[in-house]
Amino acid sequence: MKVFSITDVGRIRQMNQDYVFATDEPLGSLPNLLVVADGMGGHKAGDFASKFTVETLKEELKLSLNEGPKEVLMDAVQVVNHKLIQTAETDIKLDGMGTTLVAATVIDHTLYFINVGDSRLYLINKDIKQISRDHSLVEEMLRLGGISEEEAKNHPDKNIITRAIGVKENVEADFYEFALKKGDVILMCTDGLCNMVSEDEIFAIVKGARDIVEAGQLLINRANENGGKDNIGIVLAQPFSDEVSIW
C-alpha cells in the first residue's frame, strides 16, 4: 500500500488546526493507519486538540489487546476522547476544545474506518464517492428534507458540527466497512479541501496526477487558488501497491 499525507495552513488562517498521519507500517494489530483530524477551539486549543487526538490514538492502538478492527478502533477512540476531556480540565486555555476524526485501516481487500465530525473519506476510481457521513447541522437538515443539496453547499451554518472528539463523555463514532477493488484510491480530508474544491475538481486532479504525492500537492494548490479560507488536511492511499498507476 502506498500512502501520502499533507497539510497546509491555507491563505487566511494564522494557525494550522488540521493534523494528519499515514503509515503503511503496523500499529498494534492494525497493519496500517490513516488519520485526519480538524481541531476546534480558541487560540491554540484546536491545534492542540487535533495533534493530541491523533498522537494519543496511535499510542492506544499500539497497546490495544483487541483483534478485530472495529473493536480496536472504537475502543481506542473512546479512550482518546476521555483523555482529551481530562486534559482540557487541567488548563483553562484548552477549555471547549475538540476535533473531528477519521481513522482508517486496510486489511486484505477491505477498508475499515471510523468517523466523528465532518472530515470526510472518499473512494476514487471510475468516479468519486463520499462514503463517510458528515455529522453536521446542515447534513441533518439535508437528510430531513429541510434544504436542497444546492442550498447545503453554501449554507451559512455548514461549519456547525453535531459530533466531535472531546465534547461529551461518550463520543458516538460511526464505523464503516467497504470492499475495495483494483484501482481504488482512498482520499481523507478536512473541510478545508471539500469546501474549497468541488468533488468534480478533486476527481479530475487525482485522476490526472502522476501519483498520489503529486495528487496531494495539487489538491492543496487548488484549495488555495480557490480561496484557501481554512486549513487543508489530506491523506491519500493506494491500497493495491502492485498496481502500476493510481487508477
Side-chain angles (χ1 to χ4, degrees), residues 137-163:
L137 180 61
V138 168
E139 182 65 20
E140 293 294 334
M141 292 167 65
L142 184 61
R143 276 199 291 272
L144 293 171
I147 57 174
S148 67
E149 288 191 14
E150 194 60 36
E151 289 172 323
K153 289 179 182 178
N154 301 300
H155 198 282
D157 295 330
K158 69 182 302 179
N159 292 325
I160 298 176
I161 59 176
T162 54
R163 298 187 205 173

Short mmCIF file of all heavy atoms in Angstrom, two decimals, residues 137-163:
data_model
loop_
_atom_site.label_atom_id
_atom_site.label_comp_id
_atom_site.label_asym_id
_atom_site.label_seq_id
_atom_site.Cartn_x
_atom_site.Cartn_y
_atom_site.Cartn_z
N LEU A 137 -24.81 20.06 11.25
CA LEU A 137 -26.18 20.58 11.29
C LEU A 137 -26.78 20.60 9.89
O LEU A 137 -27.94 20.21 9.69
CB LEU A 137 -26.17 21.99 11.88
CG LEU A 137 -27.53 22.68 11.99
CD1 LEU A 137 -28.48 21.90 12.89
CD2 LEU A 137 -27.36 24.11 12.51
N VAL A 138 -26.01 21.04 8.92
CA VAL A 138 -26.50 21.13 7.55
C VAL A 138 -26.82 19.75 6.98
O VAL A 138 -27.82 19.56 6.29
CB VAL A 138 -25.50 21.88 6.65
CG1 VAL A 138 -25.85 21.72 5.18
CG2 VAL A 138 -25.49 23.36 7.02
N GLU A 139 -25.98 18.76 7.30
CA GLU A 139 -26.24 17.40 6.82
C GLU A 139 -27.53 16.84 7.42
O GLU A 139 -28.30 16.16 6.74
CB GLU A 139 -25.06 16.49 7.18
CG GLU A 139 -25.21 15.05 6.70
CD GLU A 139 -25.22 14.90 5.20
OE1 GLU A 139 -24.75 15.81 4.49
OE2 GLU A 139 -25.72 13.86 4.72
N GLU A 140 -27.77 17.15 8.70
CA GLU A 140 -29.02 16.72 9.33
C GLU A 140 -30.22 17.38 8.65
O GLU A 140 -31.24 16.73 8.40
CB GLU A 140 -29.00 17.08 10.83
CG GLU A 140 -27.99 16.32 11.65
CD GLU A 140 -28.29 14.83 11.73
OE1 GLU A 140 -29.47 14.45 11.58
OE2 GLU A 140 -27.34 14.04 11.90
N MET A 141 -30.10 18.67 8.34
CA MET A 141 -31.19 19.39 7.66
C MET A 141 -31.43 18.79 6.27
O MET A 141 -32.57 18.65 5.83
CB MET A 141 -30.82 20.87 7.54
CG MET A 141 -30.79 21.61 8.88
SD MET A 141 -30.00 23.23 8.78
CE MET A 141 -31.12 24.10 7.71
N LEU A 142 -30.35 18.42 5.60
CA LEU A 142 -30.45 17.83 4.27
C LEU A 142 -31.14 16.47 4.33
O LEU A 142 -32.03 16.17 3.52
CB LEU A 142 -29.05 17.69 3.66
CG LEU A 142 -28.95 17.18 2.23
CD1 LEU A 142 -29.66 18.11 1.26
CD2 LEU A 142 -27.48 17.03 1.83
N ARG A 143 -30.78 15.66 5.31
CA ARG A 143 -31.37 14.33 5.44
C ARG A 143 -32.86 14.41 5.77
O ARG A 143 -33.64 13.55 5.37
CB ARG A 143 -30.64 13.52 6.52
CG ARG A 143 -29.39 12.84 6.01
CD ARG A 143 -28.98 11.71 6.95
NE ARG A 143 -28.51 12.20 8.22
CZ ARG A 143 -27.24 12.53 8.48
NH1 ARG A 143 -26.32 12.44 7.54
NH2 ARG A 143 -26.88 12.95 9.67
N LEU A 144 -33.23 15.45 6.52
CA LEU A 144 -34.63 15.61 6.90
C LEU A 144 -35.46 16.31 5.82
O LEU A 144 -36.67 16.49 5.97
CB LEU A 144 -34.73 16.40 8.22
CG LEU A 144 -34.18 15.69 9.46
CD1 LEU A 144 -34.13 16.65 10.65
CD2 LEU A 144 -35.05 14.47 9.80
N GLY A 145 -34.80 16.72 4.75
CA GLY A 145 -35.50 17.35 3.64
C GLY A 145 -35.76 18.83 3.83
O GLY A 145 -36.54 19.43 3.07
N GLY A 146 -35.10 19.44 4.80
CA GLY A 146 -35.33 20.86 5.07
C GLY A 146 -34.65 21.78 4.08
O GLY A 146 -35.10 22.92 3.89
N ILE A 147 -33.58 21.30 3.45
CA ILE A 147 -32.87 22.09 2.45
C ILE A 147 -32.47 21.17 1.29
O ILE A 147 -32.45 19.95 1.42
CB ILE A 147 -31.60 22.77 3.02
CG1 ILE A 147 -30.66 21.72 3.62
CG2 ILE A 147 -31.96 23.83 4.05
CD1 ILE A 147 -29.32 22.28 4.08
N SER A 148 -32.13 21.78 0.16
CA SER A 148 -31.69 21.02 -1.01
C SER A 148 -30.17 20.85 -0.97
O SER A 148 -29.48 21.52 -0.20
CB SER A 148 -32.08 21.75 -2.29
OG SER A 148 -31.36 22.97 -2.40
N GLU A 149 -29.66 19.96 -1.81
CA GLU A 149 -28.21 19.77 -1.89
C GLU A 149 -27.51 21.05 -2.32
O GLU A 149 -26.41 21.35 -1.83
CB GLU A 149 -27.87 18.62 -2.86
CG GLU A 149 -28.24 17.25 -2.32
CD GLU A 149 -27.68 16.13 -3.17
OE1 GLU A 149 -26.80 16.41 -4.01
OE2 GLU A 149 -28.11 14.98 -2.98
N GLU A 150 -28.12 21.80 -3.20
CA GLU A 150 -27.53 23.05 -3.66
C GLU A 150 -27.48 24.07 -2.52
O GLU A 150 -26.48 24.79 -2.35
CB GLU A 150 -28.34 23.61 -4.84
CG GLU A 150 -27.64 24.72 -5.59
CD GLU A 150 -26.31 24.29 -6.20
OE1 GLU A 150 -26.20 23.13 -6.65
OE2 GLU A 150 -25.36 25.11 -6.18
N GLU A 151 -28.56 24.14 -1.73
CA GLU A 151 -28.58 25.06 -0.59
C GLU A 151 -27.55 24.64 0.47
O GLU A 151 -26.93 25.49 1.12
CB GLU A 151 -29.98 25.08 0.04
CG GLU A 151 -31.03 25.77 -0.80
CD GLU A 151 -32.44 25.60 -0.25
OE1 GLU A 151 -32.76 24.51 0.27
OE2 GLU A 151 -33.22 26.57 -0.33
N ALA A 152 -27.35 23.35 0.61
CA ALA A 152 -26.40 22.85 1.61
C ALA A 152 -24.97 23.28 1.31
O ALA A 152 -24.18 23.52 2.22
CB ALA A 152 -26.48 21.32 1.68
N LYS A 153 -24.63 23.38 0.02
CA LYS A 153 -23.26 23.70 -0.38
C LYS A 153 -22.81 25.06 0.13
O LYS A 153 -21.64 25.24 0.47
CB LYS A 153 -23.13 23.66 -1.91
CG LYS A 153 -23.22 22.27 -2.49
CD LYS A 153 -23.12 22.31 -4.01
CE LYS A 153 -23.25 20.91 -4.61
NZ LYS A 153 -23.22 20.95 -6.09
N ASN A 154 -23.72 26.01 0.20
CA ASN A 154 -23.35 27.37 0.61
C ASN A 154 -24.10 27.85 1.84
O ASN A 154 -24.23 29.05 2.08
CB ASN A 154 -23.60 28.34 -0.56
CG ASN A 154 -22.80 27.98 -1.80
OD1 ASN A 154 -21.57 27.94 -1.77
ND2 ASN A 154 -23.50 27.68 -2.89
N HIS A 155 -24.58 26.91 2.63
CA HIS A 155 -25.37 27.28 3.81
C HIS A 155 -24.48 27.97 4.85
O HIS A 155 -23.34 27.55 5.09
CB HIS A 155 -26.01 26.03 4.43
CG HIS A 155 -27.14 26.33 5.35
ND1 HIS A 155 -26.96 26.78 6.64
CD2 HIS A 155 -28.49 26.27 5.16
CE1 HIS A 155 -28.14 26.96 7.21
NE2 HIS A 155 -29.08 26.67 6.33
N PRO A 156 -24.97 29.07 5.48
CA PRO A 156 -24.15 29.80 6.46
C PRO A 156 -23.77 29.00 7.69
O PRO A 156 -22.81 29.33 8.39
CB PRO A 156 -25.04 31.00 6.83
CG PRO A 156 -26.43 30.59 6.45
CD PRO A 156 -26.27 29.73 5.25
N ASP A 157 -24.52 27.92 7.97
CA ASP A 157 -24.23 27.10 9.16
C ASP A 157 -23.49 25.81 8.83
O ASP A 157 -23.47 24.88 9.63
CB ASP A 157 -25.54 26.75 9.89
CG ASP A 157 -26.23 27.98 10.45
OD1 ASP A 157 -25.53 28.94 10.81
OD2 ASP A 157 -27.47 27.97 10.52
N LYS A 158 -22.87 25.74 7.65
CA LYS A 158 -22.28 24.48 7.20
C LYS A 158 -21.10 24.03 8.07
O LYS A 158 -20.71 22.88 8.04
CB LYS A 158 -21.88 24.56 5.73
CG LYS A 158 -20.71 25.47 5.43
CD LYS A 158 -20.45 25.51 3.92
CE LYS A 158 -20.18 24.13 3.35
NZ LYS A 158 -19.95 24.13 1.91
N ASN A 159 -20.51 24.95 8.85
CA ASN A 159 -19.36 24.58 9.69
C ASN A 159 -19.76 24.12 11.09
O ASN A 159 -18.89 23.79 11.90
CB ASN A 159 -18.39 25.75 9.79
CG ASN A 159 -17.71 26.04 8.45
OD1 ASN A 159 -17.43 25.14 7.69
ND2 ASN A 159 -17.46 27.31 8.19
N ILE A 160 -21.06 24.09 11.38
CA ILE A 160 -21.51 23.65 12.70
C ILE A 160 -21.60 22.13 12.71
O ILE A 160 -22.39 21.53 11.96
CB ILE A 160 -22.88 24.25 13.06
CG1 ILE A 160 -22.78 25.79 13.12
CG2 ILE A 160 -23.37 23.70 14.40
CD1 ILE A 160 -24.11 26.48 13.37
N ILE A 161 -20.78 21.48 13.55
CA ILE A 161 -20.80 20.01 13.60
C ILE A 161 -21.59 19.54 14.81
O ILE A 161 -21.71 20.24 15.82
CB ILE A 161 -19.38 19.42 13.60
CG1 ILE A 161 -18.55 19.91 14.79
CG2 ILE A 161 -18.67 19.76 12.30
CD1 ILE A 161 -17.18 19.27 14.88
N THR A 162 -22.14 18.34 14.69
CA THR A 162 -23.00 17.80 15.74
C THR A 162 -22.30 16.74 16.59
O THR A 162 -22.85 16.30 17.60
CB THR A 162 -24.28 17.19 15.12
OG1 THR A 162 -23.90 16.23 14.11
CG2 THR A 162 -25.13 18.27 14.47
N ARG A 163 -21.13 16.31 16.17
CA ARG A 163 -20.32 15.37 16.96
C ARG A 163 -18.86 15.77 16.87
O ARG A 163 -18.40 16.25 15.82
CB ARG A 163 -20.45 13.94 16.44
CG ARG A 163 -21.83 13.34 16.49
CD ARG A 163 -21.75 11.86 16.12
NE ARG A 163 -23.00 11.35 15.59
CZ ARG A 163 -23.17 10.14 15.08
NH1 ARG A 163 -22.12 9.31 15.02
NH2 ARG A 163 -24.33 9.73 14.61
#
